[in-house]
């Protein structure tokens, strides 16, 4: 437990449910799905032809010439970060930019740029490859662009921990402020790799749902009929700020990022530990870091991606680390799985759940797994006073990140 | 053979596409970097697009001599 309080003062997102936080949150509370058919030519020959694509294309927000220099994952990171920045009111606050850092990651990075430019190289030779290729595909590109946009000068960090990336970005942001290296950190995750190659790769792992005829029903965490995750794209950003700094400028505060726990499984490159041992340790660390006990956690926004193997291990973990009392949900049932952005979007959902005293629903939980013995906000949003809540994220490679947010 | 005016118009089109330069701002005396704000990476794109459009080779060691739009027009006029 640290004696430096860190609070959330800004939120931004562009997701399959909406082009900003308000529309995304409205869609979640209404139980709407962001999953649909893929109409792209390339998708028609694949075994998986559904996905959760952005509701608002970045080209509608960022001007054409700028888009030429940005990978899609960079463009949406910028959109989310700028929203969060505007939301925080820091633009008018005369912040010392040497006290502003960025912590922004991606699970896969600029793979679309890499693949498209390789097509050009193969077809037409070196001369046709864009001179913007390297800054577009480098995995630190999204963080770097956000840093340039906001003139952050306390360090720009880009982590990669697969589907735990967005949450790890929050955890690093918390560390940076606690250590005194910055007063404000813009933290987030981004992912945009709607391309046949990652689709083929995930599909051949048998990790994705093939419910091609009913896309809106494909993401169904904890349901007996779940058959894999739904590939999604999007970005989420959160402004983290030292509490006294936020207070001094009279900022609106959403919640407190009270604790984080990171562990690794040391077990398998893709399979989660079936007993969720690493997840349990992450959740336990996060609760302790927040100075709380399991009894304090009223709600968990679970990682639950709708895969047969992953969903139930986390249930074991939540019971072991927290108990049987929290009301849990998986917003991936609506947003799909945003991979490196998942932890960022789901942190936002957790924060807004605390603010609005409501747990967003898990849709499609029509026939719960026999081993599901926790209280899920199935089908409909549930009113709940939430003093403290947890967001879990787990990633390929055995990355486990748990975050605890509390009400202020 | 394209006239100077045609080459200028073609370059203006490329500059708009690649760097977002307003075609009305493009004239022969303008410097790519100082007046039209074309950075080094975008200049590479302009050169590649111009080579294609005008069927001309612009070697890298020539590019540094093309300071103004007029320099580029003259080079293309003499070599295409």
């Amino acid at each position: 437990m640290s004696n430096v309080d860190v609070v959330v003062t800004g939120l931004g997102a562009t997701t399959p449910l909406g082009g900003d936080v308000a529309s995304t949150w409205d869609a979640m509370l209404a139980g709407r799905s962001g999953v649909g058919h893929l109409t792209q030519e390339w998708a028609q020959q694949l075994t998986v032809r559904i996905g959760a694509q952005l509701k608002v294309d970045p080209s509608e927000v960022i001007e054409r010439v700028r888009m030429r220099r940005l990978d899609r994952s960079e463009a949406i990171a910028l959109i989310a970060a700028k929203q969060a920045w505007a939301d925080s009111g820091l633009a008018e606050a005369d912040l010392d930019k040497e006290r502003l850092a960025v912590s922004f990651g991606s699970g896969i990075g600029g793979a679309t740029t890499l693949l498209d430019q390789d097509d050009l190289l193969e077809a037409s030779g070196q001369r046709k490859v864009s001179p913007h290729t390297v800054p577009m595909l480098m995995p630190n590109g999204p963080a770097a662009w956000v840093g340039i946009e906001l003139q952050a000068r306390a360090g720009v960090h880009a982590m990669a921990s697969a589907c735990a990336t967005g949450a790890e970005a929050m955890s690093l942001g918390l560390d940076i402020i606690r250590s005194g290296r910055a007063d404000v950190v813009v933290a987030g995750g981004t992912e945009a790799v709607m391309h046949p190659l990652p689709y083929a790769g995930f599909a051949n792992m048998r990790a994705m749902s093939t419910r091609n005829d009913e896309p809106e029903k494909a993401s169904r965490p904890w349901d007996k009929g779940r058959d894999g995750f739904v590939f999604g794209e999007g970005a989420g950003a959160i402004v983290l700020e030292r509490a006294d700094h936020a207070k001094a400028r009279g900022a609106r505060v959403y919640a407190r990022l009270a604790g984080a726990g990171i562990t690794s499984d040391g077990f398998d490159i893709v399979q989660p530990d079936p007993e969720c041992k690493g997840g349990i340790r992450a959740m336990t660390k996060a609760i302790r870091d927040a100075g709380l006990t399991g009894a304090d956690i009223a709600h968990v926004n679970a990682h639950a991606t709708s895969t047969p193997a992953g969903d139930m291990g986390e249930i074991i973990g939540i019971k072991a680390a927290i108990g049987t009392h929290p009301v849990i949900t998986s917003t991936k049932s609506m947003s799909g799985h945003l991979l490196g952005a998942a932890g960022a979007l789901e942190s936002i959902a957790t924060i807004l759940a605390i603010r609005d005293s409501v747990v967003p629903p898990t849709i499609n939980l029509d026939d719960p797994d026999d081993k599901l013995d926790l209280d899920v906000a199935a089908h409909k949003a549930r009113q709940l006073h939430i003093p403290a809540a947890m967001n879990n994220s787990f990633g390929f490679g055995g990355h486990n990140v748990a975050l605890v947010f509390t009400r202020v | 053979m394209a006239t100077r005016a045609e080459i200028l118009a073609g370059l203006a089109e490329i500059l708009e596409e690649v760097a977002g330069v307003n075609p009305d701002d493009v004239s022969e005396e303008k410097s790519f970097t100082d007046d039209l704000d074309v950075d080094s990476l975008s200049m590479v794109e302009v050169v590649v697009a111009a080579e294609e459009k005008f069927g001309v080779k612009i070697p890298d060691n020539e590019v540094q001599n093309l300071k103004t739009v007029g320099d580029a027009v003259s080079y293309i006029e003499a070599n295409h």
Side-chain angles (χ1 to χ4, degrees):
Chain A
M1 198 182 171
S2 162
N3 57 7
V4 177
D5 267 355
V6 176
V7 293
V8 174
T9 56
L11 302 176
T14 181
T15 78
L17 297 168
D20 59 16
V21 169
S23 56
T24 298
W25 184 234
D26 284 351
M28 281 184 179
L29 292 183
R32 281 202 290 277
S33 170
V35 183
H37 295 285
L38 295 185
T39 54
Q40 295 90 329
E41 182 75 32
W42 56 257
Q44 305 317 311
Q45 305 309 316
L46 300 176
T47 55
V48 177
R49 298 181 295 279
I50 53 176
Q53 300 183 88
L54 287 168
K55 186 89 168 174
V56 177
D57 196 86
S59 62
E60 294 175 39
V61 185
I62 294 179
E63 55 118 1
R64 181 190 60 82
V65 172
R66 189 153 202 221
M67 282 297 287
R68 288 172 59 90
R69 297 153 189 234
L70 296 170
D71 182 78
R72 189 173 171 88
S73 66
E74 296 174 336
I76 62 176
L78 272 173
I79 290 169
K82 285 172 77 173
Q83 288 175 2
W85 188 250
D87 189 42
S88 73
L90 278 161
E92 298 87 45
D94 195 28
L95 175 71
D96 176 2
K97 297 299 177 74
E98 293 187 12
R99 302 291 299 162
L100 171 65
V102 173
S103 168
F104 221 108
S106 172
I108 299 181
T112 318
T113 293
L114 176 70
L115 292 160
D116 289 349
Q117 293 298 322
D118 185 60
D119 287 347
L120 285 173
L121 177 67
E122 299 283 335
S124 310
Q126 177 185 337
R127 204 71 175 154
K128 294 298 282 183
V129 173
S130 167
H132 303 291
T133 298
V134 172
M136 286 171 74
L137 67 79
M138 62 193 195
N140 58 316
W145 276 117
V146 170
I148 291 162
E149 180 72 28
L150 303 179
Q151 300 177 297
R153 305 223 161 89
V156 164
H157 307 263
M159 65 291 307
S161 45
C163 304
T165 301
E168 186 166 353
M170 302 300 147
S171 176
L172 178 62
L174 179 64
D175 287 346
I176 289 171
I177 296 175
R178 282 175 171 176
S179 71
R181 283 148 59 205
D183 297 324
V184 178
V185 178
V186 177
T190 183
E191 205 74 80
V193 279
M194 284 287 167
H195 184 284
L197 189 83
Y199 254 84
F202 279 120
N204 287 352
M205 294 175 84
R206 308 296 189 265
M208 291 161 95
S209 172
T210 57
R211 198 179 284 261
N212 293 310
D213 299 330
E214 298 177 297
E216 294 174 358
K217 295 184 177 172
S219 187
R220 41 197 316 114
W222 304 304
D223 186 83
K224 273 183 189 158
R226 69 190 187 276
D227 69 333
F229 77 87
V230 173
F231 198 82
E233 58 175 353
I238 293 180
V239 175
L240 299 172
E241 189 167 353
R242 218 181 63 233
D244 57 350
H245 189 276
K247 192 176 178 191
R249 68 180 184 91
R252 178 264 331 273
V253 172
Y254 284 96
R256 182 167 164 250
L257 176 51
I262 298 184
T263 65
S264 45
D265 282 347
F267 173 72
D268 190 272
I269 194 69
V270 291
Q271 293 298 329
D273 180 324
E275 294 164 43
C276 196
K277 290 197 284 281
I280 292 169
R281 287 189 294 114
M283 289 184 245
T284 305
K285 276 188 181 187
I287 293 166
R288 194 180 305 142
D289 188 39
L292 302 176
T293 67
D296 298 313
I297 306 295
H299 161 55
V300 179
N301 188 310
H303 184 65
T305 62
S306 183
T307 59
D311 289 10
M312 298 318 295
E314 186 178 8
I315 295 296
I316 296 170
I318 291 169
K319 284 188 289 188
I322 301 173
T324 55
H325 59 278
V327 179
I328 69 170
T329 197
S330 171
T331 44
K332 289 189 184 79
S333 62
M334 300 173 283
S335 66
H337 189 358
L338 269 48
L339 311 180
L345 174 59
E346 287 146 30
S347 286
I348 291 169
T350 308
I351 290 160
L352 294 177
I354 291 171
R355 182 194 69 175
D356 294 349
S357 297
V358 61
V359 176
T362 300
I363 63 169
N364 298 322
L365 185 54
D366 300 326
D367 188 10
D369 192 292
D370 292 335
K371 296 197 197 98
L372 178 66
D373 51 2
L374 288 177
D375 186 3
V376 181
H379 305 299
K380 282 186 153 171
R382 175 136 20 125
Q383 296 300 315
L384 185 75
H385 177 69
I386 306 171
M390 178 176 283
N391 171 224
N392 282 337
S393 296
F394 309 131
F396 277 178
H399 306 270
N400 310 297
V401 182
L403 302 171
V404 171
F405 294 94
T406 59
R407 200 176 172 86
V408 288
Chain B
M1 293 295 275
T3 65
R4 283 188 81 86
E6 285 164 353
I7 295 168
L8 181 66
L11 282 174
E13 233 170 74
I14 290 169
L15 285 162
E16 185 184 24
E17 168 66 21
V18 166
V21 175
N22 183 342
D24 296 340
D25 293 343
V26 178
S27 53
E28 292 211 17
E29 76 284 3
K30 293 281 175 70
S31 154
F32 286 107
T33 43
D34 298 340
D35 299 323
L36 301 178
D37 215 15
V38 178
D39 66 21
S40 61
L41 295 187
S42 293
M43 194 61 200
V44 175
E45 290 189 283
V46 170
V47 166
V48 172
E51 286 185 333
E52 200 157 274
K53 194 175 198 93
F54 300 109
V56 59
K57 270 277 165 226
I58 310 177
D60 286 350
N61 58 1
E62 278 298 336
V63 174
Q64 60 192 350
N65 300 326
L66 308 180
K67 306 283 189 217
T68 65
V69 175
D71 294 340
V73 172
S74 297
Y75 185 88
I76 292 165
E77 189 182 32
N79 291 280
H80 81 299

